[in-house]
Amino acid sequence: IVGGAVVNPANPAQEALLASVELFDPVTGTFEKLPDMDQARAYHTATLLADDTVLIVGGFGDVNGLRQPLGSWVRVAPTQTDGSMYVFGAMSSGQGRAHHTATRLDNLDTIVVIAGGCVDTGCDSDSVSESAMASGRSFTSIEVFDSATNTVSVANTSLINPRAMHAATSLGNGFILFTGGIGTGGVAECNVELYSYLRDTISLSGTLPECPHLHQQITLSPESAMIIGGEIFAGSSTADSNRVYIWRNGSIETSVISMNTARSRHQAAMLDDGSVVVIGGIRVAGGAVAELISFQATVSGYVVGSVVTPPTQSRDWASAVKMPNNQVLITGGRTAIDSTMTVTDAEIFFGP
């Protein structure tokens, strides 16, 4: 667990950023504190690399008294507790970014594709302002990190549409699917884009009926992905979605799955049997609701059911990581019961 933010109980509108790092041992069920990073940061991306090191990119940090997106990366080797634990570097674009994505390619496991995000002081933890996503100030740029050389380069291809708070997953064979997010002028982004690292191309690949941001996305196969929940603009206000869409071969399927609970800022993980567990979210007030989305051959589609033993704590902005033995580690987040509290405990979900 690297960095993050905690709520200031005296002023819930403020957050304190963390430089701390902790390592969880699934065998003993305990956390070990590791040496701190040199830069506190939150709302960054954390991508597990093939050698079990972790790549941290961007996020918010305090620089010269100003909170702003960071233009740096950190590679963390959790098993090295000496001076070699951290390797630092700058983004090739020279621009900080937050609310971006960093996706490791499945069959090219030294490559991480960093895409989109927002820049400038119009970014904050919960929203992206119109000024931050104005033309020329939001990111369409794609950068590529190579873990074999610890280098970052700007790709020749860019996103077609600027987007932040979007989702991205690897489909295999060098392809990445980008969905949703907030685009130019703070407008919701409905177009789906398919990027090919090997071909260095990007193309439109369908349109979502709703335009989510702060949603989740799970790869189902090299030809399909699941897009789950998210926050939806509705005129001058926002609402959370309970919709689950399936992207398949360049288009969004017409059949729509409905969760029992609308949610954004949630987490999702695929279990060993191919089902998807959806955990937490901003609208889950008064209860720690989790749902299981499973494929049923009898109906040739996905169905939603409640988790038999839900988490004990409601939380949004948490982290959820799939572990061995069909377990999901859930850590941190903010509780919907008391907005002045950051959740300090961790839970393990045991899959079916």
Side-chain angles (χ1 to χ4, degrees), residues 297-348:
T298 55
V299 297
S300 298
Y302 288 88
V303 297
V304 175
S306 299
V307 171
V308 176
T309 304
T312 60
Q313 177 69 268
S314 66
R315 58 182 97 206
D316 62 84
W317 284 120
S319 293
V321 178
K322 173 69 164 52
M323 300 191 300
N325 302 320
N326 209 27
Q327 300 174 9
V328 179
L329 175 67
I330 310 161
T331 58
R334 298 183 303 196
T335 171
I337 298 173
D338 185 348
S339 62
T340 66
M341 290 181 60
T342 302
V343 181
T344 58
D345 62 7
E347 300 181 66
I348 295 178

Side-chain angles (χ1 to χ4, degrees), residues 101-107 111-115 142-144 159 166-179 192-198 201-203 205 217 219 222 225 247:
T101 53
T103 310
R104 193 183 100 189
L105 298 180
D106 290 336
N107 57 332
I111 301 299
V112 177
V113 175
I114 303 154
I142 295 174
E143 295 183 73
V144 176
L159 293 171
H166 55 287
T169 51
S170 172
L171 299 176
N173 297 319
F175 286 97
I176 295 177
L177 189 72
F178 297 100
T179 64
V192 177
E193 298 182 37
L194 184 63
Y195 169 70
S196 172
Y197 169 76
L198 294 176
T201 60
I202 195 162
S203 59
S205 190
Q217 182 173 306
T219 294
W247 173 90

Side-chain angles (χ1 to χ4, degrees), residues 257 273-275 292-305:
I257 308 158
D273 64 356
S275 61
L292 201 62
I293 306 172
S294 305
F295 185 83
Q296 288 194 358
T298 55
V299 297
S300 298
Y302 288 88
V303 297
V304 175

Side-chain angles (χ1 to χ4, degrees), residues 115 153 155 352:
S153 59

Side-chain angles (χ1 to χ4, degrees), residues 42-78:
Y43 302 99
H44 48 277
T45 54
T47 307
L48 181 65
L49 303 178
D51 62 353
D52 291 332
T53 60
V54 179
L55 176 67
I56 308 299
V57 176
F60 295 103
D62 293 327
V63 180
N64 297 324
L66 295 176
R67 183 155 298 178
Q68 59 191 38
L70 298 173
S72 60
W73 57 266
V74 184
R75 187 172 180 177
V76 185

Side-chain angles (χ1 to χ4, degrees), residues 208-345:
L208 287 161
E210 293 182 320
C211 311
H213 59 281
L214 297 172
H215 55 296
Q216 287 292 308
Q217 182 173 306
I218 298 289
T219 294
L220 302 175
S221 74
E223 296 82 28
S224 61
M226 179 181 289
I227 298 116
I228 306 165
E231 189 171 273
I232 309 295
F233 285 120
S236 59
S237 61
T238 59
D240 288 321
S241 174
N242 70 337
R243 301 294 184 90
V244 178
Y245 297 101
I246 303 296
W247 173 90
R248 192 182 306 276
N249 290 327
S251 62
I252 303 297
E253 292 187 349
T254 55
S255 58
V256 179
I257 308 158
S258 296
M259 294 184 291
N260 297 314
T261 302
R263 62 183 85 211
S264 65
R265 302 165 177 84
H266 50 292
Q267 293 294 323
M270 177 174 279
L271 304 175
D272 290 349
D273 64 356
S275 61
V276 175
V277 61
V278 185
I279 301 167
I282 193 68
R283 296 299 180 192
V284 188
V289 179
E291 300 182 62
L292 201 62
I293 306 172
S294 305
F295 185 83
Q296 288 194 358
T298 55
V299 297
S300 298
Y302 288 88
V303 297
V304 175
S306 299
V307 171
V308 176
T309 304
T312 60
Q313 177 69 268
S314 66
R315 58 182 97 206
D316 62 84
W317 284 120
S319 293
V321 178
K322 173 69 164 52
M323 300 191 300
N325 302 320
N326 209 27
Q327 300 174 9
V328 179
L329 175 67
I330 310 161
T331 58
R334 298 183 303 196
T335 171
I337 298 173
D338 185 348
S339 62
T340 66
M341 290 181 60
T342 302
V343 181
T344 58
D345 62 7

Side-chain angles (χ1 to χ4, degrees), residues 13-38:
Q14 293 181 344
E15 292 180 310
L17 305 186
L18 302 176
S20 61
V21 179
E22 297 185 53
L23 182 64
F24 178 76
D25 185 339
V27 176
T28 62
T30 58
F31 287 90
E32 175 189 358
K33 180 172 172 49
L34 302 179
D36 289 355
M37 296 184 293
D38 68 342

